[in-house]
Amino acid sequence: AQSVTQLGSHVSVSEGALVLLRCNYSSSVPPYLFWYVQYPNQGLQLLLKYTSAATLVKGINGFEAEFKKSETSFHLTKPSAHMSDAAEYFCAVSDRGSTLGRLYFGRGTQLTVWP
Amino acid sequence: DSGVTQTPKHLITATGQRVTLRCSPRSGDLSVYWYQQSLDQGLQFLIQYYNGEERAKGNILERFSAQQFPDLHSELNLSSLELGDSALYFCASSVGGGRDTQYFGPGTRLTVL
C-alpha cells in the first residue's frame, strides 16, 4: 500500500513569507500526486496534481509543486503567503496505471499565517 | 461549490443505531468514493463505486456498507454504531478513476453518543 508523509503537522509563516509544505511518498513507481486544501467546516478542494510530463506543476491561488523522483517528494510552495491561505493542506497519491483512483492521504499540515 | 452534495450535514445518534449518509455526484461523474476523516486515523478511503458496481474496498468495517444506484447517487450505511465511528464522512466523485480529479462534497459530521 502507498504511504504518504507530510513533515510538520503545523507550519506558521508571516504574511508575505514563503510557504513550503513538505510531502514524501513511499512507492518505487512514482504515483499520481495531488495537493488538496481544506478550509474549516468545508470539504477538500484540489490545489494541483501531477500525473505526467512537466515536473513543476502550477495550481490555483498561486501555489505550485515540484515532483522530484530522486527524492520521492512533491513539496508545495507559494512565494508569498496571504492571510486567506490559512487552512489545512493534504498531500495525496494514487497508484499510477491503476484505473481505480483511491487516494492515500498524508496526515495533513495546518498552515497558520500571521499578519 | 464542487457540485457534489451530501446529506445530512450533521447527524447525532446513539450507540447501536444505524444511519444512512447520502451523496449525489457531479453531473457526468461515474465514480463515487467514500472517505472517513477522524483525528485518530486521518483521512481514510472506505469504498469506491463505478457506474453502479463496487470497484475497490479500503478500510471499511463489516458494519458499514454502501451502494450506488442507477441514477448514480450513493448511500453509505453505518450500523451498530460505536463511539469510535464519530467522524467526518466525505463523498467524492470523478469521471472515472486513476488520474481523474476527485471532487469532494462538504461532508457529513457524524456524532455517536
Side-chain angles (χ1 to χ4, degrees):
Chain A
Q2 295 274 5
S3 173
V4 181
T5 302
Q6 290 185 240
L7 275 177
S9 57
H10 290 85
V11 169
S12 294
V13 299
S14 299
E15 194 172 20
L18 171 72
V19 175
L20 170 61
L21 305 182
R22 300 177 188 273
C23 173
N24 289 88
Y25 62 90
S26 64
S27 63
S28 56
V29 176
Y32 301 129
L33 295 149
F34 307 81
W35 275 100
Y36 281 86
V37 61
Q38 185 179 26
Y39 297 101
N41 301 313
Q42 294 188 28
L44 283 77
Q45 180 184 8
L46 182 72
L47 281 176
L48 49 81
K49 68 179 182 181
Y50 169 75
T51 56
S52 64
T55 57
L56 183 61
V57 181
K58 294 189 185 299
I60 62 172
N61 302 339
F63 285 93
E64 62 182 37
E66 186 172 10
F67 168 65
K68 291 188 177 180
K69 184 178 177 181
S70 61
E71 298 177 7
T72 61
S73 69
F74 191 56
H75 301 332
L76 182 71
T77 60
K78 181 173 181 178
S80 177
H82 192 272
M83 297 293 288
S84 61
D85 295 327
E88 188 150 25
Y89 292 79
F90 292 93
C91 181
V93 306
S94 68
D95 293 322
R96 181 172 293 277
S98 169
T99 59
L100 297 180
R102 64 170 286 181
L103 292 172
Y104 300 83
F105 284 91
R107 292 307 300 263
T109 297
Q110 182 68 46
L111 176 66
T112 300
V113 182
W114 300 101
Chain B
D1 184 358
S2 67
V4 178
T5 60
Q6 289 187 248
T7 56
K9 194 174 176 64
H10 300 279
L11 202 47
I12 301 175
T13 189
T15 54
Q17 296 297 305
R18 173 189 169 92
V19 297
T20 298
L21 282 54
R22 183 187 168 102
C23 168
S24 292
R26 292 189 325 150
S27 177
D29 285 357
L30 299 179
S31 271
V32 169
Y33 306 79
W34 287 97
Y35 293 89
Q36 180 194 59
Q37 184 178 34
S38 66
L39 287 175
D40 290 346
Q41 302 293 327
L43 267 161
Q44 295 226 319
F45 167 76
L46 295 177
I47 197 164
Q48 176 197 4
Y49 278 82
Y50 177 81
N51 202 21
E53 294 190 5
E54 182 185 302
R55 289 292 296 274
K57 260 186 173 179
N59 299 323
I60 188 166
L61 300 171
E62 285 193 14
R63 300 183 285 109
F64 296 1
S65 64
Q67 51 185 328
Q68 186 179 28
F69 294 86
D71 67 352
L72 301 178
H73 91 270
S74 178
E75 292 181 356
L76 179 67
N77 301 296
L78 315 176
S79 61
S80 302
L81 285 168
E82 302 175 359
L83 297 177
D85 298 326
S86 296
L88 199 49
Y89 291 84
F90 286 111
C91 166
S93 74
S94 66
V95 173
R99 68 177 68 186
D100 292 343
T101 297
Q102 292 182 31
Y103 295 87
F104 281 74
T108 293
R109 183 169 294 281
L110 173 66
T111 302
V112 182
L113 300 176

